[in-house]
């Protein structure tokens, strides 16, 4: 069990998405076969994440995403999956909780997160200057930096949430082949209420004051429709 926790955090240092795929696929089997294990495995991961943040192996922003996800979103996902055997509902609630936590974190720590991102980009810029790049290459790199900054500031909530939703989806596909409890992906259904959220997202995106909130919601909902489409094709 400690090996699962350690490997999850190790992969999360490389990419939180990779860590989540591994945990759902491998740790999920242990959780389903022995639900009491969740009292130990989640605290182990949280302790290791806190240590990783302290040692600066992972950023505070990514660390908080992982902490909130492994504290609430993933335990709720596995609880509903084992209790209701409704994969669609479990994934839907996971996505909803994750989007709320990631959104609140970004709202509260926006200046700190952007400042750290700008420092990282500045370091990359300094490195590129030492490489004696041409004026044309420098101009292209500056355009890429400007574009990436725009995407990062306005769409980081959607990018993070979508990556976590897809990570749980991929991990659960592997998990379904490893555990005695099975669920039918080809009959995956999400709640009809998701249509109301879609309408709210579309309307929000039409107004300047809520445009980026609406666009982030549309991107997150898009991941659910993508998964639904893959289930139909299956």
């Amino acid at each position: 069990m400690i090996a699962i926790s350690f490997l999850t955090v190790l992969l999360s240092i490389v990419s939180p998405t990779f860590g989540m795929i591994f945990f759902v696929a491998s740790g999920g089997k242990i959780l389903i076969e022995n639900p009491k294990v969740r009292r130990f495995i989640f605290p182990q991961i949280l302790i290791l994440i806190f240590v990783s943040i302290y040692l600066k192996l992972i950023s505070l922003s990514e660390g908080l995403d992982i902490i909130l996800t492994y504290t609430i979103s993933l335990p709720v996902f596995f609880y509903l999956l084992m209790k209701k055997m409704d994969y669609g509902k479990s994934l839907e609630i996971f996505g909803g909780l994750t989007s709320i936590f990631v959104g609140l974190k970004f709202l509260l720590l926006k200046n700190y997160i952007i400042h750290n991102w700008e420092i990282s980009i500045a370091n990359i810029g300094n490195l590129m200057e030492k490489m004696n790049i041409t004026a044309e290459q420098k101009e292209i790199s500056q355009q890429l930096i400007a574009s990436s900054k725009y995407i990062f500031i306005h769409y980081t909530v959607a990018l993070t949430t979508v990556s976590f939703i897809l990570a749980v989806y991929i991990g659960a596909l592997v998990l379904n082949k490893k555990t005695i409890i099975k669920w039918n992906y080809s009959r995956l259904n999400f709640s009809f209420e998701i249509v109301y959220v879609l309408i709210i997202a579309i309307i929000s995106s039409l107004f300047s004051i809520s445009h980026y909130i609406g666009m982030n919601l549309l991107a997150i909902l898009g991941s659910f429709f993508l998964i639904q489409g893959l289930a139909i094709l299956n």
Side-chain angles (χ1 to χ4, degrees):
M1 186 172 61
I2 187 65
I4 295 292
S5 301
F6 180 79
L7 287 172
T8 296
V9 174
L10 189 63
L11 286 170
S12 295
I13 291 172
V14 177
S15 167
T17 304
F18 293 159
M20 199 164 295
I21 293 172
F22 172 79
F23 178 78
V24 174
S26 300
K29 183 175 185 295
I30 298 174
L31 287 170
I32 289 174
E33 294 176 352
N34 185 9
K36 292 182 180 180
V37 167
R38 67 173 175 265
R39 291 187 225 166
F40 307 102
I41 195 166
F42 287 115
Q44 285 175 357
I45 291 173
L46 294 178
I47 290 169
L48 290 170
I49 288 296
F50 278 119
V51 171
S52 299
I53 293 173
Y54 177 76
L55 296 175
K56 297 183 178 180
L57 297 174
I58 193 168
S59 70
L60 176 62
S61 177
E62 287 186 336
L64 287 175
D65 287 337
I66 297 168
I67 288 167
L68 291 170
T69 304
Y70 284 85
T71 302
I72 302 174
S73 301
L74 273 177
V76 169
F77 170 78
F78 280 111
Y79 173 80
L80 291 174
L81 190 60
M82 291 183 285
K83 191 82 172 175
K84 304 289 186 180
M85 287 305 298
D86 188 340
Y87 176 69
K89 190 71 174 178
S90 303
L91 189 60
E92 190 178 314
I93 292 176
F94 169 84
L97 289 172
T98 302
S99 62
I100 291 170
F101 295 143
V102 173
L104 287 174
K105 180 218 69 177
F106 187 75
L107 184 65
L108 294 172
L109 300 176
K110 183 176 180 179
N111 291 335
Y112 171 82
I113 294 170
I114 293 174
H115 176 68
N116 280 347
W117 183 87
E118 288 176 340
I119 290 174
S120 299
I121 292 299
N123 291 334
I124 294 173
N126 293 333
L127 183 63
M128 292 180 70
E129 285 184 2
K130 294 178 181 178
M131 295 171 64
N132 296 321
I133 60 174
T134 64
E136 185 180 355
Q137 289 174 327
K138 187 175 182 179
E139 184 180 350
I140 292 172
S141 65
Q142 288 174 344
Q143 290 175 353
L144 288 173
I145 288 171
S147 299
S148 62
K149 183 177 181 179
Y150 176 84
I151 293 170
F152 178 81
I153 291 174
H154 297 296
Y155 297 105
T156 189
V157 174
L159 291 171
T160 302
T161 304
V162 169
S163 68
F164 284 3
I165 290 171
L166 294 178
V168 171
Y169 169 69
I170 294 168
L173 284 175
V174 178
L175 175 64
N176 192 41
K177 297 179 180 179
K178 296 168 66 175
T179 182
I180 56 174
I181 300 176
K182 304 291 182 183
W183 49 90
N184 193 340
Y185 284 99
S186 61
R187 295 184 180 180
L188 174 67
N189 287 309
F190 295 115
S191 302
F192 181 76
E193 287 76 10
I194 202 169
V195 175
Y196 299 129
V197 181
L198 177 62
I199 294 171
I200 292 171
I202 292 171
I203 294 172
S204 298
S205 66
L206 298 177
F207 298 95
S208 58
I209 192 171
S210 58
H211 175 73
Y212 293 112
I213 294 175
M215 293 303 292
N216 275 270
L217 274 174
L218 286 172
I220 293 167
L221 291 171
S223 66
F224 288 115
F225 293 127
L226 172 63
I227 292 169
Q228 181 91 68
L230 291 172
I232 293 171
L233 290 174
N234 220 10

